[in-house]
Amino acid sequence: AMWVWLIAVTVLIGALSSFFFVVGKKKKVTYADETTPTIAIIGAGVSGLCMGIQLKEQLGLTTFTMYDMEKEVGGTWLVNQYPGCACDIPSHLYSFSFALNPEWSERYSGQKEICEYLQKLAKKYDLYPKIRFRTRVEKAEWIPNRNQYLLVIRNLNTGKQEQSYADVVINGSGGLRIPKTPEGEARDLV
C-alpha cells in the first residue's frame, strides 16, 4: 500500500513539475495574478514528507501546511513500535532517490532507524515549521464559488476546531498508520 502512495506522489510531482517548469529552469509556481497556491498536506510520514520536500525543492513553493495527528514526523514508522517492526524490503531501496542513505545499519532496517531517517530529512529540508502536529483534518470539502477546499481541522491537544482553506489538498496519510493489535492468544506474542 505504501508503494501505491509513493507512486501516486511521484506521478503528481511529475505532473506538477512538467506543468509549471520551464525546461532547464526552476520556476516558482504562480497563478496568473502572481499569487502562489495554498496547499494542505495531510500526514507527515513518508508520503507527506516527500511531497513537502519536493514542493520546496522542485517547485519553489513554501505556501503549504502539513497536518499530522502525532507529535513527531514518521507516520507509520512512528506509530508502529511493536517488537521486530522493520522494513520488509532492503533498506537501500527504502530511501528517497534525492536523499539516499548509505548509512543503514542492517539490510532490513528496524522501525526506529527508519523513523530517525525521516526525522533527519524533515530537519534537513526545514519542514518542522510547516507542520502542525497533533492536528487532525476532519473534513475537506470543495467549495465551488471559492475554487478552494474548506478544511475542518481539530487540535487534538485542546479539542478546538477551526477552519482553513486550501487550493490543493494532498492526502499523504498512510494506510498502515493505525496499528492492528491481535486479539486473544496471539496478543501475548506482541
Side-chain angles (χ1 to χ4, degrees):
M2 184 187 70
W3 288 108
V4 173
W5 283 109
L6 289 177
I7 290 169
V9 166
T10 302
V11 168
L12 180 60
I13 290 170
L16 287 172
S17 297
S18 63
F19 181 74
F20 290 113
F21 277 107
V22 174
V23 177
K25 286 187 169 183
K26 186 175 177 180
K27 181 180 177 185
K28 187 173 184 176
V29 178
T30 61
Y31 292 123
D33 65 0
E34 298 299 316
T35 61
T36 55
T38 56
I39 301 167
I41 301 172
I42 303 170
V46 173
S47 297
L49 291 175
C50 182
M51 184 53 74
I53 292 167
Q54 294 304 312
L55 286 171
K56 285 181 82 172
E57 296 298 306
Q58 296 296 322
L59 301 179
L61 286 174
T62 57
T63 53
F64 63 90
T65 302
M66 300 172 72
Y67 300 94
D68 199 273
M69 295 189 301
E70 301 302 325
K71 61 183 177 191
E72 179 59 87
V73 301
T76 295
W77 297 107
L78 179 72
V79 297
N80 286 286
Q81 299 184 12
Y82 55 86
C85 183
C87 191
D88 58 357
I89 61 169
S91 299
H92 67 280
L93 297 175
Y94 203 77
S95 301
F96 293 127
S97 61
F98 56 86
L100 297 175
N101 181 11
E103 309 283 323
W104 293 116
S105 65
E106 299 179 50
R107 182 174 177 156
Y108 298 95
S109 294
Q111 167 270 333
K112 183 179 179 190
E113 188 173 7
I114 295 169
C115 200
E116 288 170 353
Y117 165 74
L118 296 172
Q119 292 165 1
K120 179 179 170 184
L121 290 178
K123 287 179 184 139
K124 176 181 178 181
Y125 290 98
D126 197 29
L127 291 180
Y128 279 96
K130 308 299 290 174
I131 304 170
R132 291 188 52 189
F133 291 108
R134 300 290 299 141
T135 305
R136 179 176 55 225
V137 176
E138 296 186 331
K139 180 180 178 181
E141 178 183 353
W142 180 251
I143 307 298
N145 63 338
R146 283 186 67 118
N147 287 324
Q148 288 185 308
Y149 287 93
L150 166 65
L151 302 174
V152 177
I153 303 159
R154 182 171 306 277
N155 180 311
L156 297 176
N157 290 328
T158 65
K160 181 182 173 192
Q161 190 179 66
E162 62 183 87
Q163 295 182 348
S164 181
Y165 288 92
D167 298 311
V168 178
V169 175
I170 300 166
N171 184 1
S173 60
L176 302 175
R177 74 189 183 287
I178 301 170
K180 301 279 191 232
T181 305
E183 299 295 327
E185 292 178 27
R187 184 180 197 124
D188 297 335
L189 298 174
V190 176

